[in-house]
């Protein structure tokens, strides 16, 4: 399973990259706004800075919601760096844009997926990734993980190449369950990844090893 980090914060991206297990980055307009990045030139420069940190796959979202606007913005984003994946919402115009970008060899990430039907349409249009939002479904008492499993199953039935990129991953158990049901990618904050490290028996076991070593060495 691939690990992407879901942030536009350069320090957090660097820290995740330094762990040596990072496969990519996803952003969205809210995450860019959180970093105070506004204006076309600043947005482009920020995406370039992200691309310079990581080895591959940086999702950059279009703001336009009409076909022409999405194509124009998506082409500009794709020009920033070969690592850019154009992120497009699952709306009617978005499906057309994904189809277009697919024919142009530009990778896309179809976002705001909340149903299997939406994921099916995105795959048929040729999206490179679909982003179903687990946490936001859980927030309203729908089972986000069930949706991930459903999409994985449907894509396997028909051999769709679209990768299931589980998004809105809020905690480490979400990530582990994604691995169990066969999501191709998870994107999440750094703390969800580092949370995988935690186990009280590891902490106490290491403390004992170090204490025993110090005692034997007469320290
Ligand atoms: O990037 C989309 C998604 O990961 C957002 O997550 O926590 O805002 O629902 P969240």
């Amino acid at each position: 399973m691939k690990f992407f980090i879901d942030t536009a914060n350069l320090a957090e991206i660097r820290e995740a990259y330094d762990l040596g297990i990072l496969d990519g980055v996803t952003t969205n307009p809210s995450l860019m706004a959180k970093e105070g990045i506004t204006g076309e030139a600043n947005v482009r420069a920020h995406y370039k800075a992200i691309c310079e940190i990581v080895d591959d796959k940086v999702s950059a979202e279009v703001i336009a919601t009409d076909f022409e606007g999405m194509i124009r913005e998506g082409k500009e984003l794709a020009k920033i760096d070969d690592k850019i994946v154009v992120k497009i919402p699952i709306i009617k115009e978005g499906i057309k844009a994904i189809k277009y970008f697919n024919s142009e060899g530009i990778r896309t990430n179809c976002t705001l997926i909340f149903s299997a039907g939406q994921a099916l349409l995105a795959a048929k249009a040729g999206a490179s990734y679909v982003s179903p939002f687990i946490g936001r479904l859980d927030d309203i008492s729908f089972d986000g993980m069930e949706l991930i499993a459903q999409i994985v199953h449907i894509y396997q039935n028909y051999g769709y190449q679209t990768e299931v990129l589980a998004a809105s991953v809020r905690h480490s158990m979400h990530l582990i369950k994604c691995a169990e049901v066969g999501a191709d990618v998870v994107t999440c904050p750094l703390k969800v990844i580092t949370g995988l490290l935690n186990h009280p028996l590891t902490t106490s076991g290491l403390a004992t090893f170090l204490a025993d070593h110090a005692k034997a060495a007469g320290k």
Side-chain angles (χ1 to χ4, degrees):
M1 184 169 64
K2 293 173 201 155
F3 283 18
F4 287 7
I5 191 160
D6 196 30
T7 182
N9 182 281
L10 298 180
E12 197 177 341
I13 294 167
R14 256 184 229 108
E15 195 180 335
Y17 181 76
D18 286 346
L19 278 175
I21 48 83
L22 191 69
D23 300 296
V25 179
T26 53
T27 62
N28 62 41
S30 302
L31 293 171
M32 291 293 275
K34 197 172 157 195
E35 298 306 314
I37 314 295
T38 54
E40 215 173 298
N42 291 336
V43 166
R44 289 172 61 83
H46 199 76
Y47 282 133
K48 188 67 188 171
I50 295 175
C51 289
E52 277 164 7
I53 298 172
V54 299
D55 294 330
D56 207 4
K57 310 287 189 304
V58 175
S59 283
E61 190 159 339
V62 297
I63 306 296
T65 53
D66 62 301
F67 176 75
E68 286 77 16
M70 286 184 191
I71 299 304
R72 191 176 57 248
E73 270 185 46
K75 280 182 171 174
E76 285 302 312
L77 290 170
K79 264 193 243 164
I80 295 171
D81 196 288
D82 285 347
K83 296 171 189 172
I84 293 285
V85 176
V86 180
K87 203 170 176 187
I88 295 179
I90 180 71
I91 54 178
K92 203 192 273 184
E93 300 293 286
I95 286 298
K96 293 184 205 168
I98 289 167
K99 182 87 189 165
Y100 172 83
F101 284 126
N102 190 32
S103 70
E104 293 287 304
I106 293 174
R107 289 172 305 204
T108 53
N109 173 358
C110 186
T111 190
L112 289 166
I113 298 282
F114 292 98
S115 77
Q118 292 175 327
L120 191 53
L121 276 177
K124 279 196 72 69
S128 318
Y129 302 92
V130 281
S131 289
F133 282 27
I134 300 171
R136 291 192 194 184
L137 278 171
D138 289 355
D139 286 344
I140 57 159
S141 311
F142 283 78
D143 189 342
M145 204 56 65
E146 200 173 292
L147 176 62
I148 301 292
Q150 202 181 5
I151 298 171
V152 167
H153 181 73
I154 289 170
Y155 284 6
Q156 276 170 357
N157 281 350
Y158 298 100
Y160 286 124
Q161 296 303 301
T162 304
E163 293 188 52
V164 180
L165 192 169
S168 190
V169 167
R170 303 269 176 82
H171 49 72
S172 303
M173 272 317 288
H174 270 159
L175 193 156
I176 292 164
K177 290 284 170 198
C178 281
E180 281 182 9
V181 301
D184 300 287
V185 189
V186 283
T187 191
C188 56
L190 180 59
K191 71 174 169 51
V192 175
I193 298 174
T194 53
L196 297 175
L197 288 167
N198 297 336
H199 199 289
L201 291 178
T202 305
T203 309
S204 61
L206 183 59
T208 304
F209 286 159
L210 296 179
D212 289 346
H213 172 77
K215 202 157 56 176
K219 286 181 190 161

